[in-house]
């Protein structure tokens, strides 16, 4: 029994252990199931959270995409509007350029027409003693024109006739003056001469009405550049001042009351650019010719009275007049191909409907002005001992307000308002005598003692006092500043086109001398540059054909294009490609001083300008290339000069890729000349709105800096003392940030 009980107990214990194990296993399984459920729940929660987060992220991304798309669309619309605006501006600018070219094309043709035509007047005594000469003139006129036309086929010819007799006591049987006006129908003038009767008046005396004939000839419709009057006569004018007959042989010994004096008439022929030829038949006209020569020649003009003595040999009339007319044509074109003032002044030009006797000197010299007569002393300067004293001076300078911003075509009409001026006190020494005299100014050595700069001071030949001298000097400074601004943009465009050629204009300041008299109180002052000065063009169309001139000509052409026809820079001269003393012709005229000829000056430039390789590389368009070609052909024929406009030479010079003399520029601070050897560096600087300076000024700028406190925020900022001192500008009082808030600009 005990064994059974023990067995039962063991069985029960075993069952209990089994139950415990089963329960534990079940609990473990339940725990596992619970854990699995929990893990599954957590996973579902995480999935839901992730899904929610992903949905939210998708929504956020979609929102961002929508925002970006809208921003892009807005930016695109803005860009489109801006591009459309730029397109409209570019379209307007191009239209302005096209209209300006079209506008002056007719004027250019007029200049070429005037320059390639000839006006000839036969002025003859038609009294009885001149019968053979009248017949010869009638016979020979067409032959003369034909002979000259054979040599100069590109020219147009007009002729006129002025026949004269004398005043009569009674009723005149014939006209005292017989006039055939200018016409290209030479045969009609010839027929008019044939109709002249060689008749003496009712109350004859020795003199004839020469003064009346000269007045009538001056009153003709002269319109050509070549102007010649051939005077044929065997008697002097009225007035004992013009002959040796005595008062008894002259009905008007003091001249006829209606006559203009011969002296005045002679000067008028000169001023109108009319060349005067006289066929001398006898000695009775000698005294008259002496007076005529005295008042016709001189006054800085190249004209000479051309007297040909033929005596009674009227058969020599045709060859001599033919030669005189050919010489007249040649001399006209020679004057057009020269730069000196006297030559250009002798060429006629119509400005504002008024006939003026001088291209190059229009508004450059007024003969009625009092002229200075200073002793010129050509010797090397001793810079530390110039003159006999140190003088006080005030230095005036111009600065472009636009900073790094280039002017658009539409802004050039207000260019004068784009500059600000500043002034600073200094001391100088000036040479006692000028070292040179040019066509418009005296040049003297000057040293700025405070800045230690070698300079040249220029004073006009005319005695200008008070405000006129100040205005004259400041107009020059403004012109130079505008040309300097244009040159910087021109250089960028030439370099970008692969043309390794640059132009530069020196800085010009105006110095005021308070201790000097009014006539010397204001002078333009510029850097002293050693080298050979050359004149490449003047202010009325003349252009040199030597090396370097084509770069100056293309710059002039480009300035007209760049400003939409508002202005053109001409009268280019200097050392190499560093220029000074330019003249600007503006659309308004007289905007840039008295030498600003306005539209007429522009027309004369293009009438003689043939586009070269630089022009073509820059995409410049000539307003009327055919007219300019006609002018060039006429000049070639007249001068037998095959060197004019040699395209091969120009192309080599224009495309030379080696940095050299045509890569010189003027230091923006001290004014010295240096060569740009790294064009990429130059272009990089210019794109940043910076200018290159010489090594000396660069070192001085790095060394000569200081810190000043901003007058507005108190923060200290660096100031380049050398820059502001050399520029003549006041040092800034505000830091860059404060100035930027007010829309200003500063410089490190």
């Amino acid at each position: 029994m005990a064994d059974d009980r023990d067995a039962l107990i063991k069985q029960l214990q075993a069952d209990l252990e089994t139950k415990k194990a089963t329960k534990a296993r079940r609990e473990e399984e339940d725990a596992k199931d619970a854990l699995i459920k929990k893990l599954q729940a957590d996973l579902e929660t995480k999935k839901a959270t992730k899904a929610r987060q992903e949905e939210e992220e998708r929504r956020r991304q979609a929102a961002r995409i929508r925002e970006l798309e809208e921003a892009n669309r807005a930016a695109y619309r803005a860009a489109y509007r801006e591009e459309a605006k730029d397109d409209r501006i570019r379209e307007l600018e191009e239209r302005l350029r096209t209209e300006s070219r079209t506008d002056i094309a007719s004027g250019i043709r007029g200049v070429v027409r005037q320059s390639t035509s000839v006006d000839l007047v036969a002025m003859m005594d038609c009294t009885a003693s001149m019968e053979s000469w009248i017949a010869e003139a009638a016979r020979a006129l067409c032959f003369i024109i034909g002979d000259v036309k054979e040599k100069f086929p590109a020219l147009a010819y007009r002729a006129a006739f002025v026949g004269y007799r004398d005043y009569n006591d009674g009723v005149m049987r014939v006209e005292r003056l017989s006039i055939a006006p200018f016409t290209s129908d030479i045969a009609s003038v010839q027929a008019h001469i044939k109709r002249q009767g060689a008749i003496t008046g009712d109350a004859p005396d020795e003199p004839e009405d020469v003064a009346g004939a000269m007045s009538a000839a001056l009153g003709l419709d002269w319109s050509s550049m070549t102007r010649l009057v051939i005077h044929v006569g065997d008697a002097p004018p009225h007035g004992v001042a013009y002959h040796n007959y005595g008062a008894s042989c002259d009905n008007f010994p003091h001249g006829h009351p209606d006559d203009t004096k011969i002296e005045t008439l002679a000067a008028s022929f000169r001023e109108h650019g009319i060349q005067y030829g006289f066929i001398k038949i006898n000695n009775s006209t000698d005294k008259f010719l002496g007076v005529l020569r005295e008042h016709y020649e001189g006054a800085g003009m190249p004209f000479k009275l051309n007297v040909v003595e033929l005596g009674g040999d009227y058969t020599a009339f045709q060859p001599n007049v033919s030669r005189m007319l050919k010489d007249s044509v040649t001399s006209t074109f020679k004057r057009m191909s020269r730069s000196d003032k006297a030559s250009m002044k002798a060429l006629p030009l119509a400005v504002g409907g008024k006939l003026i006797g001088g291209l190059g000197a229009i508004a450059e010299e007024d003969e009625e002005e009092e002229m200075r007569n200073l002793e010129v002393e050509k010797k090397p300067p001793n810079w530390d001992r110039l003159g006999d004293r140190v003088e006080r001076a005030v230095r005036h300078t111009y600065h472009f307000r636009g900073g790094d911003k280039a002017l658009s075509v539409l802004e050039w009409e207000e260019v004068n308002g784009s500059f600000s001026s500043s002034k600073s006190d200094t001391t100088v020494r000036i040479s006692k005598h000028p070292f040179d005299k040019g066509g418009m100014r005296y040049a003297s050595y000057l040293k700025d003692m405070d800045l230690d700069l070698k300079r040249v001071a220029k004073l006009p030949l005319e005695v200008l006092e008070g405000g006129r001298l100040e205005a004259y000097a400041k107009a020059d400074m403004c012109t130079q500043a505008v040309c300097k601004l244009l040159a910087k943009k021109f250089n960028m465009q030439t370099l970008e086109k692969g043309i390794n050629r640059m132009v530069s204009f020196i800085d010009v300041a105006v110095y005021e001398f308070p201790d000097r008299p009014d006539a010397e109180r204001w002078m333009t002052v510029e850097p002293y540059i050693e080298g050979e000065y050359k004149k490449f063009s003047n202010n009325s169309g003349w252009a040199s054909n030597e090396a370097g001139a084509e770069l100056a000509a293309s710059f002039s052409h480009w300035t007209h294009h760049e400003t939409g026809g508002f202005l053109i820079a001409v009268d280019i001269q200097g050392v190499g490609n560093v220029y000074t003393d330019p003249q600007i012709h503006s659309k308004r005229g007289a905007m840039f001083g008295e030498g600003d000829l306005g539209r007429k000056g522009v027309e004369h430039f293009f009438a003689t300008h043939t586009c070269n390789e630089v022009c073509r590389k820059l995409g410049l368009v000539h307003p009327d290339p055919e007219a300019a070609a006609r002018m060039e052909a006429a000049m070639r024929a007249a001068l037998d000069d095959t060197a004019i406009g040699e395209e091969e030479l120009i192309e080599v010079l224009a495309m030379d890729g080696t940095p050299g003399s045509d890569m010189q520029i003027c230091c923006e601070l001290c004014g010295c000349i240096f060569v740009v050897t790294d064009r990429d560096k130059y272009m990089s600087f210019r794109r940043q709105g910076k200018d290159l300076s010489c090594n000396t000024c660069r070192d001085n700028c790095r060394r000569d800096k200081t810190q000043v406190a901003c007058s507005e925020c108190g923060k200290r900022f660096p100031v380049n003392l050398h820059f502001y001192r050399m520029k003549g500008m006041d040092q800034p009082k505000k830091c860059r940030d404060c100035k930027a808030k007010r829309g200003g600009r500063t410089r490190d």
Side-chain angles (χ1 to χ4, degrees):
M1 287 293 293
D3 293 336
D4 292 338
R5 189 178 60 235
D6 291 339
L8 180 60
I9 292 171
K10 288 180 179 178
Q11 183 64 40
L12 290 173
Q13 288 176 339
D15 292 342
L16 181 61
E17 291 296 328
T18 301
K19 288 180 180 179
K20 286 182 178 179
T22 301
K23 183 179 179 181
R25 188 169 58 250
R26 191 179 295 118
E27 288 176 351
E28 184 179 356
E29 290 175 354
D30 290 343
K32 287 180 179 179
D33 290 341
L35 179 60
I36 290 172
K37 289 179 181 179
K38 184 177 183 304
L39 291 174
Q40 289 176 339
D42 290 344
L43 182 60
E44 292 298 327
T45 301
K46 288 181 179 179
K47 285 182 178 180
T49 301
K50 183 178 180 181
R52 188 171 60 253
Q53 290 174 343
E54 288 177 349
E55 180 63 24
E56 290 175 355
E57 182 63 24
R58 280 195 297 271
R59 290 176 181 174
R60 284 195 296 270
Q61 287 180 355
R64 281 201 302 271
I65 290 172
R66 286 194 297 272
E67 290 174 0
L68 289 173
E69 288 177 346
E70 183 58 34
N72 287 338
R73 281 193 290 269
Y76 177 80
R77 287 193 296 268
Y80 179 81
R81 286 194 300 270
E82 190 64 28
E83 183 178 350
K85 179 182 177 182
D86 289 344
D87 286 343
R88 286 195 297 273
I89 291 176
R90 283 192 291 269
E91 181 183 351
L92 177 58
E93 290 179 344
E94 191 55 40
R95 189 167 74 245
L96 285 174
R97 291 180 175 124
T98 302
E99 288 176 354
S100 71
R101 291 194 298 268
T102 304
D103 184 47
I104 64 171
S106 60
I108 295 170
R109 289 190 289 273
V111 171
V112 173
R113 188 164 50 248
Q114 180 192 36
S115 303
T116 58
S117 58
V118 178
D119 284 347
L120 171 66
V121 171
M123 186 169 71
M124 299 191 69
D125 181 339
C126 291
T127 56
S129 60
M130 295 290 293
E131 184 173 5
S132 298
W133 290 93
I134 296 170
E136 178 61 17
R139 183 199 68 80
L141 184 60
C142 284
F143 290 100
I144 291 169
I145 297 297
D147 181 41
V148 177
K149 196 167 187 177
E150 185 176 343
K151 180 174 176 59
F152 306 114
L155 305 185
Y157 299 85
R158 297 194 311 162
F161 176 78
V162 176
Y164 64 93
R165 298 176 180 85
D166 197 10
Y167 295 95
N168 290 275
D169 293 334
V171 178
M172 293 192 63
R173 292 174 293 167
V174 293
E175 296 172 305
R176 177 173 56 88
L177 297 175
S178 179
I179 301 172
F182 276 117
T183 177
S184 57
D185 183 1
I186 309 301
S188 68
V189 179
Q190 189 176 31
H192 183 93
I193 298 174
K194 287 180 179 179
R195 291 194 296 271
Q196 301 309 303
I199 301 172
T200 304
D202 293 335
D205 54 359
E206 295 299 334
E208 308 293 353
D209 186 21
V210 176
M214 292 175 70
S215 295
L218 282 169
L220 292 171
D221 179 28
W222 298 90
S223 65
S224 300
M225 193 75 77
T226 300
R227 306 174 177 195
L228 175 64
V229 60
I230 299 295
H231 185 177
V232 187
D234 64 353
H238 286 286
V240 293
Y242 311 121
H243 60 73
N244 295 317
Y245 289 126
S248 61
C249 296
D250 189 344
N251 292 342
F252 305 100
H254 302 294
H256 191 277
D258 295 337
D259 283 350
T260 302
K261 288 185 175 296
I262 296 297
E263 293 86 341
T264 302
L265 293 168
S268 294
F269 274 93
R270 181 191 69 230
E271 291 164 2
H272 282 72
I274 302 171
Q275 300 178 67
Y276 204 110
F278 188 85
I279 303 297
K280 181 180 174 182
I281 298 173
N282 57 46
N283 295 332
S284 68
T285 54
D286 285 353
K287 193 172 183 180
F288 158 66
L289 291 175
V291 175
L292 184 64
R293 178 177 285 108
E294 179 183 355
H295 291 85
Y296 176 74
E297 298 178 358
M301 300 290 280
F303 289 157
K304 299 294 181 184
L305 180 64
N306 190 355
V307 178
V308 178
E309 295 192 39
L310 296 184
D313 186 10
Y314 60 84
T315 61
F317 177 82
Q318 178 182 326
N320 277 278
V321 173
S322 180
R323 175 187 56 78
M324 293 167 76
L325 185 54
K326 291 176 184 177
D327 290 346
S328 180
V329 171
T330 300
S331 65
T332 296
F333 280 101
K334 281 184 177 179
R335 287 194 297 275
M336 290 174 64
S337 67
R338 292 172 58 188
S339 64
D340 61 280
K341 178 182 290 188
S343 295
M344 297 310 298
K345 190 176 179 183
L347 296 172
L349 172 67
V351 176
K354 180 181 179 182
L355 190 64
I356 300 178
L359 288 178
I362 291 175
E364 289 187 356
E365 180 177 3
D366 186 342
E367 292 182 12
E368 296 181 359
E369 289 282 359
E370 180 185 355
M371 307 300 289
R372 304 178 198 275
N373 186 20
L374 305 180
E375 178 186 349
V376 175
E377 190 173 73
K378 292 182 178 289
K379 67 177 184 179
N382 182 347
W383 291 103
D384 294 324
R385 300 186 63 83
L386 293 175
D388 51 12
R389 69 187 190 280
V390 175
E391 299 185 47
R392 294 187 303 134
V394 180
R395 179 175 174 237
H396 299 257
T397 53
Y398 269 176
H399 315 286
F400 180 51
R401 284 199 183 103
D404 306 333
K405 175 180 173 292
L407 291 175
S408 70
V409 169
L410 304 177
E411 294 173 308
W412 278 104
E413 294 201 16
E414 306 300 328
V415 64
N416 277 359
S418 301
F419 289 89
S420 61
S421 62
S422 60
K423 60 182 181 179
S424 56
D425 294 331
T426 189
T427 56
V428 302
R429 297 188 75 104
I430 305 179
S431 57
K432 187 175 181 180
H433 301 288
F435 67 86
D436 202 1
K437 177 183 178 182
M440 294 176 62
R441 303 174 183 86
Y442 285 103
S444 302
Y445 297 115
L446 178 146
K447 184 172 183 180
D448 190 311
M449 305 300 289
D450 292 14
L451 298 178
D452 191 26
L453 294 176
K454 299 174 182 178
R455 291 294 190 253
V456 173
K458 294 185 176 180
L459 192 64
L461 303 183
E462 301 94 336
V463 177
L464 306 176
E465 296 186 358
R468 288 189 64 198
L469 183 59
E470 178 184 358
Y472 180 97
K474 289 187 175 179
D476 277 357
M477 180 169 64
C478 178
T479 297
Q480 195 90 358
V482 171
C483 287
K484 191 174 184 69
L485 183 65
L486 284 163
K488 292 177 181 179
K489 189 167 184 179
F490 176 79
N491 291 340
M492 286 297 290
Q493 292 194 16
T494 56
L495 295 177
E496 287 169 353
K497 295 289 185 179
I499 306 171
N500 282 353
R501 307 188 71 185
M502 304 169 68
V503 301
S504 182
F505 285 84
I506 60 178
D507 274 313
V508 171
V510 170
Y511 279 52
E512 179 185 2
F513 301 93
D515 299 329
R516 291 195 171 216
D518 283 351
E520 300 177 7
R521 187 180 180 93
W522 300 86
M523 300 184 197
T524 55
V525 175
E526 61 189 50
Y528 172 72
I529 300 175
E530 296 187 61
E532 182 184 0
Y533 273 78
K534 292 183 179 180
K535 193 171 183 69
F536 298 117
S537 65
N538 65 10
N539 73 333
S540 54
W542 171 84
S544 167
N545 64 345
E546 61 180 298
E550 80 292 339
L551 181 61
S554 61
F555 172 74
S556 294
H557 187 171
W558 176 87
T559 60
H560 186 263
H561 168 85
E562 177 63 22
T563 62
F566 178 69
L567 61 81
I568 188 169
V570 295
D571 203 7
I572 307 296
Q573 58 214 296
V575 177
N577 64 313
V578 178
Y579 304 146
T580 184
D581 283 342
Q583 176 61 58
I584 290 178
H585 299 313
S586 65
K587 186 183 292 185
R588 297 174 187 170
M591 183 176 175
F592 292 91
E594 295 178 350
D596 181 351
L597 304 183
R599 170 177 172 151
K600 188 57 66 175
V602 177
E603 292 169 353
H604 275 266
F605 168 80
F606 281 110
T608 57
H609 172 64
T610 302
C611 285
N612 55 55
E613 188 64 18
V614 177
C615 297
R616 287 187 283 273
K617 281 282 186 179
L618 293 175
L620 304 180
V621 179
H622 194 290
D624 195 330
E626 291 80 10
R630 289 197 300 274
M631 175 73 90
E632 183 182 357
M635 293 189 73
R636 284 181 184 273
L639 302 177
D640 295 324
D641 187 354
T642 58
I644 296 176
E646 284 289 347
E647 293 297 329
E648 183 177 355
L649 172 63
I650 289 174
E651 183 169 354
V652 171
L653 291 170
M655 298 299 106
D656 182 6
T658 304
S661 61
D662 283 343
M663 294 290 283
Q664 295 180 128
I665 61 172
C666 197
C667 175
E668 292 290 323
L669 300 181
C670 71
C672 75
I673 296 177
F674 64 97
V675 176
V676 175
T677 56
D678 188 340
R679 79 175 204 167
D680 293 333
K681 181 179 179 181
Y682 173 86
M683 295 172 71
S684 174
F685 267 60
R686 288 301 307 137
R687 290 190 183 105
Q688 299 174 56
K690 298 179 180 179
D691 292 311
L692 265 68
S693 58
C694 66
N695 291 336
T696 301
C697 285
R698 181 194 61 191
D699 294 341
N700 287 336
C701 285
R702 290 173 177 172
R703 181 178 60 251
D704 199 5
K705 284 189 176 183
T706 189
Q707 295 280 330
V708 298
C710 175
S711 62
E712 190 163 309
C713 69
K715 183 175 68 175
R716 298 185 70 79
F717 64 96
V719 171
N720 190 326
L721 297 178
H722 182 74
F723 172 85
Y724 288 101
R725 183 167 58 249
M726 300 303 284
K727 284 289 189 180
M729 299 167 63
D730 294 333
Q731 297 177 17
K733 295 179 173 59
K734 296 178 182 178
C735 67
R736 179 184 293 273
D737 293 338
C738 291
K739 199 165 186 180
K741 291 177 184 177
R742 297 180 178 272
R745 64 185 293 270
T746 186
R747 183 181 181 95
D748 291 334

